[in-house]
Amino acid sequence: MNITLNGEPRAVKAKASVTSLVSQITGREPASNGQTADGQRLGVTLARNSEVVPRSQWYGMALAEGDDIELLTAFREDEDDD
């Protein structure tokens, strides 16, 4: 199945979920409530077809052919990196 991720074409498995995509991109597995199993902040937000998707909805949401996904990552610059 083909989607667009951050403006780039990307092939994903049929019936892939938002959670599996986020896990693949971040390397961390969100739980069913959208939080990470380790309790740390995930630092991402996701929009599907121009609509922000709350983390609480990621788990059960399947991707569809042609979906346009924007995955935005929060970046925090360390104070020591002047």
Side-chain angles (χ1 to χ4, degrees):
M1 174 170 64
N2 297 300
I3 64 168
T4 301
L5 176 64
N6 295 342
E8 298 291 326
R10 183 179 190 97
V12 296
K13 292 181 181 179
K15 299 183 182 179
S17 68
V18 168
T19 302
S20 65
L21 179 65
V22 170
S23 179
Q24 183 180 21
I25 300 301
T26 65
R28 297 174 69 200
E29 185 72 33
S32 61
N33 65 359
Q35 302 302 315
T36 59
D38 62 10
Q40 300 294 314
R41 290 184 176 200
L42 191 56
V44 298
T45 192
L46 183 133
R48 177 182 182 201
N49 302 322
S50 300
E51 297 286 330
V52 174
V53 179
R55 286 186 195 182
S56 61
Q57 295 177 15
W58 290 2
Y59 194 72
M61 183 175 286
L63 296 170
E65 179 72 32
D67 273 350
D68 183 16
I69 304 295
E70 292 292 327
L71 185 64
L72 305 173
T73 304
F75 175 75
R76 185 180 137 195
E77 188 172 336
D78 286 340
E79 294 174 11
D80 296 336
D81 290 344
D82 290 326

